[in-house]
Amino acid sequence: MAPVRNQTRSSEFLLMGFSESSELQPLIFGLFLSMYLITMFGNLLIILAVSSDPHLHTPMYFFLSNLSFVDICFTSTTIPKMLKNIWAQSKVITYEGCIIQMQFFALFIGLDVFLLTVMAYDRFVAICHPLHYTVIMNPRICGLMVLVSWIISVLNSLLESLMMLRLSFCTVLEIPHFFCELNQMIQLACSDTFLNNLEMYFKAVFLAGGSLICIVYSYSKIVSSIHRISSAQGKYKAFSSCASHLLVVSIFYCTGLGVYLSLAGTHSSHSSATASVMYTVVTPMLNPFIYSLRNKDLKKDLKRALQNSSESSSKKANGCGLKKGT
C-alpha cells in the first residue's frame, strides 16, 4: 500500500543546498561570500562610474547601470539567505519567506531578460542606423523602455506568487536547491500543478524565448552591417562595441534556458542547482569585468573612481590622526 502524502499549508521548508557534508560547508560559504562581495563591489563601481561621468550619460551606459543595479538585487535575493543558513547551521526557510524570495527572484530575472534585450536593440540601432541613433534612442524612449520592463516584470512576479499560493504541499518539504526555485517548489506540491507548469513553460518559451529571438535577430542584422564595412579597423570597432553584451547574453541564456527546458526530460536536481549558479551568481559577478575590460572609457572611469575612493579614505585617516595628535 502506497504511503499517504498529507496535504498541508506548510509553515517552513528546508533548503538542502549543494551538499549535506559538514566538511564542505565552510568551503561553500567562503566561495559564495567571495562571489557575492565581488558582485556587489563590481556592479556598484559600474553605477558610480556611469553616474559620475557626463561622457557616459549615453543610452548604452544608462542600460548598463540599470543592469548592474538589477544584478545586485538579483544576487541579494538568494545568496544572503544561503550564507545565513550555512553560518547558523540551519536549512530552514519559512513559507512566507519562500514565496517572497520567489517573487523577487522572478522580478529581477525578468528585468535581466528585458534589459539584455533592450541593450541588444540599442547596439542594433547604433551600428545599423548610426545617423538616426540619437533620435531613436532619445532619453524619453530609453526611460520608457526601462519603465515598461519594470511593469511587465512586476506583473509577472505577482502572477507567479499568486499561482504558488493556490498550491498545497506534501509532508516532504525538502527543496534540493540553494533557493526556492520554481520548478522544485511545483514538484513538492500535492495539489494539481497543471496551471503552474503551463505558466512556467509559457514564460520560458514566450518571454525568455521571445527575448532571445529578438536578440538573435538584432545580432544577425549587426553582423550583416559589420560585414559591409570596408575597413578592418571599422569592423573591429563596431564588433568590439557589442562583443561584451554578446558574451553576457550567451552565458545567461545558455545556462538559464538550459536549466528550465532540460527539466522536461530529467529530474536531476543536483545538476539543476549547479547549473543555476551560472546565471544566478556567476553571470552577475562577471558582468562588470566583461563590460569594463572591453570598454576603454568605462575602464578609465572605474580607475578614477577607485583612485578617488582611496584618496578620500586616506584623507579621513590623516584627519583622524591629526585629531588624535592634537
Side-chain angles (χ1 to χ4, degrees):
M1 187 174 178
V4 177
R5 301 175 73 189
N6 296 325
Q7 297 185 12
T8 179
R9 179 57 61 92
S10 174
S11 60
E12 60 184 33
F13 295 91
L14 297 178
L15 294 172
M16 304 310 294
F18 298 99
S19 173
E20 296 187 19
S21 173
S22 57
E23 290 80 7
L24 290 177
Q25 298 308 307
L27 176 63
I28 295 172
F29 181 87
L31 179 63
F32 276 85
L33 177 61
S34 301
M35 289 193 291
Y36 181 65
L37 292 176
I38 292 171
T39 302
M40 295 289 290
F41 183 70
N43 284 288
L44 282 172
L45 273 181
I46 293 283
I47 296 171
L48 177 63
V50 172
S51 60
S52 61
D53 189 355
H55 294 96
L56 298 183
H57 293 175
T58 62
M60 181 177 72
Y61 294 111
F62 171 71
F63 295 132
L64 179 58
S65 60
N66 275 274
L67 181 67
S68 294
F69 172 75
V70 170
D71 281 342
I72 289 172
C73 299
F74 186 35
T75 52
S76 298
T77 303
T78 57
I79 303 303
K81 176 59 181 175
M82 185 191 74
L83 294 176
K84 178 187 175 184
N85 280 3
I86 294 176
W87 182 264
Q89 296 182 354
S90 171
K91 299 180 185 221
V92 174
I93 182 170
T94 62
Y95 174 81
E96 293 78 11
C98 207
I99 296 297
I100 292 171
Q101 188 183 69
M102 289 179 63
Q103 182 175 358
F104 280 101
F105 184 86
L107 168 64
F108 293 120
I109 197 172
L111 281 167
D112 255 344
V113 168
F114 289 123
L115 285 174
L116 289 174
T117 307
V118 168
M119 291 171 77
Y121 176 73
D122 171 72
R123 293 298 85 205
F124 161 74
V125 176
I127 295 173
C128 299
H129 305 282
L131 298 178
H132 303 285
Y133 179 71
T134 54
V135 177
I136 298 173
M137 302 301 294
N138 61 72
R140 180 176 173 274
I141 294 297
C142 293
L144 189 61
M145 286 179 172
V146 173
L147 178 62
V148 170
S149 299
W150 271 94
I151 291 173
I152 297 175
S153 299
V154 167
L155 292 176
N156 172 56
S157 64
L158 287 174
L159 174 63
E160 185 172 297
S161 299
L162 292 173
M163 293 290 289
M164 289 304 301
L165 288 171
R166 58 180 287 274
L167 296 180
S168 297
F169 292 92
C170 306
T171 53
V172 181
L173 302 174
E174 295 181 353
I175 304 173
H177 219 292
F178 66 96
F179 66 96
C180 294
E181 198 264 340
L182 175 62
N183 183 70
Q184 300 295 339
M185 293 289 292
I186 291 174
Q187 289 183 21
L188 289 178
C190 285
S191 52
D192 183 29
T193 60
F194 173 77
L195 290 177
N196 296 80
N197 283 309
L198 186 65
E199 184 249 354
M200 180 177 66
Y201 289 112
F202 177 86
K203 287 194 304 182
V205 173
F206 288 96
L207 290 183
S211 299
L212 183 59
I213 290 172
C214 293
I215 292 172
V216 170
Y217 175 79
S218 298
Y219 274 101
S220 67
K221 293 294 184 180
I222 289 172
V223 170
S224 178
S225 296
I226 292 175
H227 184 70
R228 289 196 296 267
I229 298 175
S230 56
S231 67
Q233 186 178 1
K235 287 183 178 180
Y236 174 77
K237 186 177 180 181
F239 179 75
S240 62
S241 68
C242 58
S244 301
H245 179 258
L246 186 59
L247 179 59
V248 170
V249 166
S250 301
I251 297 174
F252 181 82
Y253 274 94
C254 288
T255 54
L257 281 176
V259 167
Y260 283 95
L261 295 180
S262 64
L263 289 172
T266 179
H267 296 283
S268 178
S269 56
H270 179 73
S271 60
S272 171
T274 305
S276 296
V277 175
M278 287 300 295
Y279 74 92
T280 58
V281 184
V282 176
T283 302
M285 180 185 69
L286 292 180
N287 282 356
F289 296 99
I290 294 172
Y291 283 109
S292 60
L293 290 175
R294 298 288 303 180
N295 191 294
K296 293 180 181 179
D297 294 333
L298 189 56
K299 192 189 300 184
K300 190 187 302 180
D301 282 309
L302 287 174
K303 287 181 180 178
R304 189 184 300 124
L306 285 171
Q307 289 174 356
N308 291 338
S309 62
S310 62
E311 286 175 2
S312 61
S313 61
S314 62
K315 286 179 181 179
K316 286 181 181 179
N318 291 334
C320 291
L322 288 172
K323 288 179 181 179
K324 288 181 180 178
T326 56

